[in-house]
Amino acid sequence: AGTGRQAMGASAFAGAIALGLQEVFDPVEREEIVQIVDAGEPDPDAPVDLLLVKDAPRRSRARVRPWLLGPEATPDGATEKRS
């Protein structure tokens, strides 16, 4: 029973080594998807207002005012049909 566990452990270890070597020799190129836009003064009628603090992410804030999203917006994101 111990041999099976040892073989399973050795296979997991060998797999982890192979994945680590793959990361070193064939790294995945990561593309930056963040775009910085300076919109100037915030729009007081915008339904979403976002304040990002680059050097202090915990100080970043988002304010969502769903009543400004429009008459068809609902809390779950679906649109409701109005008659």
Side-chain angles (χ1 to χ4, degrees), residues 71-81:
E72 296 182 354
T74 60
D76 64 357
T79 57
E80 62 183 23
K81 302 283 183 191

Side-chain angles (χ1 to χ4, degrees), residues 39-74:
E41 293 296 316
D43 180 7
D45 296 327
V48 178
D49 185 21
L50 184 61
L51 171 66
L52 293 176
V53 181
K54 182 179 178 182
D55 296 327
R58 289 181 180 247
R59 293 182 55 206
S60 296
R61 298 287 180 254
R63 179 175 55 179
V64 179
R65 296 178 286 182
W67 59 90
L68 295 177
L69 288 172
E72 296 182 354
T74 60

Side-chain angles (χ1 to χ4, degrees), residues 16-48:
I17 289 175
L19 287 174
L21 289 174
Q22 181 181 7
E23 272 189 39
V24 170
F25 293 113
D26 189 21
V28 175
E29 291 190 27
R30 296 196 171 109
E31 178 179 321
E32 185 175 339
I33 58 170
V34 176
Q35 295 181 355
I36 299 173
V37 177
D38 184 10
E41 293 296 316
D43 180 7
D45 296 327
V48 178

